[in-house]
Amino acid sequence: STPFIPPGSVSTPKAIRFPCPLGEAYGYYYPPANDQYECTTEPAPPLLVKAHGGPTACASTSMNPGIQYWTSRGFAVLDVDYGGSTGYGRD
């Protein structure tokens, strides 16, 4: 059977780019998502940075239960595509 995930608990990624020593880096930012909770004591959520393995891999926006686990618990996640990732950094 397929597990049920409440719609308000699924984080939708946003493509971002940011400066780095060799130019620009790219990634997907997943904000916290949980309709049952709201932090009122901090201006920004804690951020987990995820880097994929190997230079021939890349980050994607496909459903990732590991990322959704953290975002449903109040963390933001940045899934980074660093220079040399597939589709980035090679001429």
Side-chain angles (χ1 to χ4, degrees):
S1 95
T2 303
F4 175 74
I5 301 173
S9 295
V10 176
S11 182
T12 303
K14 176 184 174 189
I16 64 166
R17 68 170 95 183
F18 51 94
C20 69
L22 298 176
E24 281 190 329
Y26 303 87
Y28 297 104
Y29 174 77
Y30 293 80
N34 190 326
D35 285 345
Q36 297 180 12
Y37 301 99
E38 181 178 342
C39 180
T40 58
T41 61
E42 299 294 328
L47 177 68
L48 298 173
V49 179
K50 177 182 177 297
H52 61 74
T56 58
C58 63
S60 74
T61 59
S62 61
M63 180 65 164
N64 183 323
I67 289 174
Q68 298 300 325
Y69 172 87
W70 290 108
T71 59
S72 69
R73 284 152 177 82
F75 289 82
V77 175
L78 176 59
D79 196 359
V80 178
D81 262 331
Y82 44 83
S85 299
T86 297
Y88 299 100
R90 295 187 180 175
D91 294 330

